Amino acid sequence: MASQERILKNYESAKEEFASWGVDTEKVLEKFDTIKMSMHCWQGDDVKGFEPVGDIGSQNVVTGNYPGAARNGEELRGDIDFALSMSPFQHKVNIHSCYGEFGRDRKDVTIDDFSKWIAWAKEKGYGLDFNGSFFAHKMMNNGFSYASLDKATRDYWIETAKGTREISYAIGKELGEVCYNNLWIPDGLKDTPANRFRYREVLTNALDEIFAKKYEGNHHVDTLEGKLFGIGVESFTVGSHEFYLGYAASHRGNGIGVCLDSGHYHPTEQVADKLSAVTPFVDHVLLHISRGVRWDSDHIVVQSDELTAIMNEMSRGNLYGKVAMGLDYFDASINRIAAWTIGMRAAAKTVLTSLLEPFAMIDKAELEGDFTTRLALMDEFKNLP
Ligand code: RNT
Ligand code: ZN
């Protein structure tokens, strides 16, 4: 049978199957078509960016030497276009401040340095998200940026962070939508600190300076991304989850949210469990969808129980469209376009599965105290088409 015909035939049979569980697949497909995924540009060139920074070690450890990394904006955008042509989502593209195209230092970049990205996004109908690149630079001071105890280091990075907010706001306005500006810093220590309080006080003051300016309208959102640990900073990360969650919650009403990266927690800790705990108390939540493997937080996303749990929670809590989603990983050991495509399609299949879950039935069983039925149904649903 021709494949198109076979797909349609299978769809008709799946439609019947889901209808018998009370799920309307046509409505699910309509809903799916509204869901946005932000694809991270940095998988395409191993988080290098376009600044002439020289041979400086990065706090994002990328391994592998597969040929064909993008060398400039033209190549990177072409590769992104090709990857997105194989993804069924509505698309945003997530860029970093080290991807400005005129070779200026990231403290000095302005919206002009991203004019090619913006023109391209407009032409293709993509949204854009933004990130400050606070790593892999000569101004990193023993791995510290704006949580550094050294004022000159801190001031450099605070100015850089302020600049990213200007650019993010300008991008959002230019594209007539919301640009998420995510802040992640690697700042931390290899061994046990004597005074954690000092570092966190310094970071609090830096954030206060960075966020002093308020932006009007709905074009710009700030999110703070915490992390458990990184290579070389095994004992202490200044910007931990509790720290940022506390900061964002205590600044409610200022458009400051948190970014939950699924690779940034203890291996048995579940981002799925955090959504209902965090969303009521902060202005915004962004998901970085990643895959942790042992000590690495950034393997290519594939379908997994963990991802299913996250997306089921998004669907059950009606969070699609409210909690923003982006991919975040980097692997230089396989074809980079395939790396993006595999991740986007894995995320898409998992989102679709979550929308197809006969949630009303398990919710009813739970409400009636029938936990036996709840478990039986949850396991049964794993075999739906
Ligand atoms: C690193 C964070 C961060 C980066 C990107 C490149 O652990 O997850 O989001 O991956 O900013
Ligand atoms: Zn991340």
Side-chain angles (χ1 to χ4, degrees):
M1 209 189 307
S3 85
Q4 182 80 1
E5 212 180 301
R6 197 173 64 238
I7 289 166
L8 288 174
K9 188 161 168 264
N10 288 344
Y11 173 66
E12 286 310 321
S13 116
K15 186 175 168 178
E16 255 179 66
E17 175 75 26
F18 279 106
S20 77
W21 293 95
V23 174
D24 181 340
T25 56
E26 297 290 316
K27 284 217 179 91
V28 165
L29 290 174
E30 260 171 50
K31 172 80 185 171
F32 182 87
D33 281 339
T34 67
I35 295 177
K36 280 185 195 167
M37 184 61 72
S38 194
M39 197 174 83
H40 56 314
C41 80
W42 52 89
Q43 165 61 50
D45 75 333
D46 315 333
V47 209
K48 287 206 184 74
F50 305 139
E51 269 173 36
V53 282
D55 201 13
I56 280 176
S58 177
Q59 284 73 32
N60 289 302
V61 182
V62 191
T63 51
N65 56 2
Y66 200 89
R71 290 163 298 188
N72 53 52
E74 252 45 73
E75 289 183 358
L76 189 54
R77 284 186 289 273
D79 289 351
I80 293 172
D81 282 332
F82 187 37
L84 292 183
S85 74
M86 293 175 275
S87 152
F89 282 117
Q90 300 297 313
H91 296 127
K92 293 182 96 179
V93 176
N94 202 1
I95 60 178
H96 246 281
S97 61
C98 60
Y99 288 82
E101 259 169 289
F102 305 120
R104 254 190 292 267
D105 184 79
R106 67 192 79 164
K107 182 166 82 56
D108 304 320
V109 286
T110 67
I111 180 88
D112 298 337
D113 297 74
F114 298 91
S115 54
K116 289 191 190 180
W117 285 105
I118 293 166
W120 165 77
K122 274 189 187 161
E123 183 199 328
K124 307 284 176 172
Y126 308 145
L128 286 177
D129 292 310
F130 204 64
N131 300 260
S133 316
F134 311 120
F135 49 76
H137 189 277
K138 62 180 188 310
M139 284 305 286
M140 292 301 291
N141 192 337
N142 289 318
F144 275 75
S145 61
Y146 51 75
S148 172
L149 303 184
D150 174 62
K151 189 168 182 320
T153 303
R154 208 159 61 227
D155 287 348
Y156 171 88
W157 290 108
I158 289 172
E159 282 314 304
T160 305
K162 286 183 186 166
T164 67
R165 299 185 74 222
E166 289 289 319
I167 296 169
S168 168
Y169 175 70
I171 289 176
K173 245 173 98 170
E174 188 69 34
L175 297 182
E177 53 147 60
V178 192
C179 181
Y180 278 72
N181 184 41
N182 185 50
L183 286 84
W184 170 74
I185 55 169
D187 304 30
L189 294 170
K190 185 176 182 73
D191 222 328
T192 315
N195 194 340
R196 292 180 166 85
F197 294 91
R198 185 192 288 128
Y199 291 107
R200 293 207 165 115
E201 194 187 327
V202 165
L203 181 52
T204 305
N205 293 337
L207 293 177
D208 289 348
E209 271 194 59
I210 292 166
F211 295 129
K213 180 163 175 182
K214 308 281 174 249
Y215 290 87
E216 296 302 313
N218 295 325
H219 297 298
H220 165 78
V221 160
D222 293 294
T223 54
L224 302 168
E225 180 180 7
K227 193 171 178 176
L228 181 61
F229 82 98
I231 300 299
V233 292
E234 290 85 359
S235 300
F236 174 64
T237 296
V238 191
S240 63
H241 299 289
E242 291 80 1
F243 175 86
Y244 285 137
L245 184 58
Y247 191 90
S250 65
H251 289 76
R252 238 188 136 178
N254 291 289
I256 300 170
V258 289
C259 168
L260 309 177
D261 183 311
S262 58
H264 285 192
Y265 297 87
H266 285 282
T268 59
E269 223 179 322
Q270 294 270 330
V271 164
D273 184 58
K274 298 181 189 300
L275 287 166
S276 57
V278 168
T279 50
F281 303 110
V282 293
D283 289 344
H284 302 281
V285 175
L286 165 68
L287 284 182
H288 266 186
I289 301 165
S290 190
R291 176 166 57 106
V293 175
R294 303 194 190 279
W295 53 264
D296 177 53
S297 59
D298 295 285
H299 270 56
I300 298 165
V301 166
V302 292
Q303 296 168 83
S304 67
D305 286 348
E306 194 196 352
L307 189 58
T308 302
I310 293 172
M311 294 310 179
N312 280 350
E313 202 66 9
M314 289 286 290
S315 178
R316 293 173 190 177
N318 200 18
L319 296 177
Y320 288 122
K322 295 176 194 149
V323 166
M325 301 190 290
L327 300 186
D328 179 18
Y329 51 80
F330 28 85
D331 183 338
S333 73
I334 72 164
N335 180 299
R336 293 173 186 76
I337 297 176
W340 271 320
T341 308
I342 292 163
M344 289 296 272
R345 293 178 70 89
K349 288 176 216 173
T350 312
V351 167
L352 190 59
T353 305
S354 76
L355 295 172
L356 287 164
E357 183 187 56
F359 174 59
M361 293 181 90
I362 49 173
D363 198 34
K364 180 166 172 283
E366 180 164 289
L367 199 61
E368 290 168 353
D370 184 356
F371 296 166
T372 312
T373 300
R374 182 187 62 187
L375 183 64
L377 287 175
M378 278 183 175
D379 212 49
E380 196 61 25
F381 295 160
K382 291 177 185 161
N383 297 102
L384 289 176

